[in-house]
Amino acid sequence: MRRLAALLLALTGSAHAAPYDDLLLALERAQRRILIFAPSLSDVVLAEAIRRARLDPNRTVQVRVLSVPFYTYQPKSVMLSLALAGVPVYEAQVPSTEGVVVVDDQGWRGDALGRRTHTPLRPMSPGEINRFLGWFRGRLSGANVLTQVEAFERLRKVTP
């Protein structure tokens, strides 16, 4: 019976949704920090959860998003809308396609993180999270901050 249930979960794709759903739940419950590296961010569900965490007046969550400048100009990117909403978005030339999210003391990584909804994710160990935090700090120090004014100007250039 367990084999049949596992097979049905695998066929419907629900087996891969669990870490993604855990990530969304963690974003809704975040209390201290949300750190994201996503070369590209076009997942509207994830972006909305990030925006809500940043703008929630009952929580003081430190949110930082790091992206690659090329991808913020892509038509499906939601980076400019996050910057307009007041989410700190940083741009740096980073040679990686894997996305990483750290929420409080939990972490997830995945190849398509930020590009697709319900993407397969892998939970991170505490050691991986610590290495990511050091890497993230180093990349933010030389990154360009995408301001609300700059995001607005970019949107004006691409939309008539």
Side-chain angles (χ1 to χ4, degrees):
M1 190 65 164
R2 286 184 182 202
R3 282 182 151 182
L4 178 60
L7 179 63
L8 288 174
L9 282 174
L11 290 175
T12 60
S14 298
H16 292 296
Y20 183 85
D21 293 337
D22 292 344
L23 167 62
L24 293 178
L25 184 61
L27 288 170
E28 294 299 326
R29 294 180 176 174
Q31 294 298 315
R32 291 188 340 253
R33 67 179 176 199
I34 298 173
L35 306 175
I36 300 168
F37 167 67
S40 172
L41 187 57
S42 55
D43 179 353
V44 178
V45 174
L46 180 60
E48 179 60 17
I50 295 165
R51 185 194 64 78
R52 279 195 309 271
R54 172 69 171 100
L55 298 178
D56 188 340
N58 297 320
R59 298 185 288 170
T60 54
V61 180
Q62 173 192 2
V63 179
R64 301 284 183 267
V65 178
L66 176 63
S67 183
V68 176
F70 171 79
Y71 294 108
T72 60
Y73 287 96
Q74 298 302 308
K76 292 184 178 182
S77 176
V78 293
M79 289 292 184
L80 297 176
S81 64
L82 284 176
L84 282 174
V87 175
V89 174
Y90 297 82
E91 296 176 318
Q93 294 297 338
V94 179
S96 176
T97 59
E98 183 179 57
V100 179
V101 177
V102 172
V103 180
D104 293 336
D105 295 324
Q106 298 176 309
W108 295 266
R109 64 184 341 140
D111 289 333
L113 178 65
R115 293 186 301 240
R116 289 192 313 255
T117 304
H118 291 291
T119 185
L121 299 176
R122 183 175 62 81
M124 296 169 62
S125 70
E128 289 176 306
I129 292 171
N130 286 336
R131 282 189 298 278
F132 171 75
L133 293 176
W135 177 88
F136 194 80
R137 264 189 233 109
R139 294 303 177 266
L140 284 188
S141 65
N144 173 50
V145 179
L146 184 60
T147 65
Q148 289 177 320
V149 172
E150 189 175 359
F152 178 73
E153 289 299 320
R154 286 186 192 180
L155 281 173
R156 282 190 33 200
K157 290 179 185 175
V158 294
T159 56

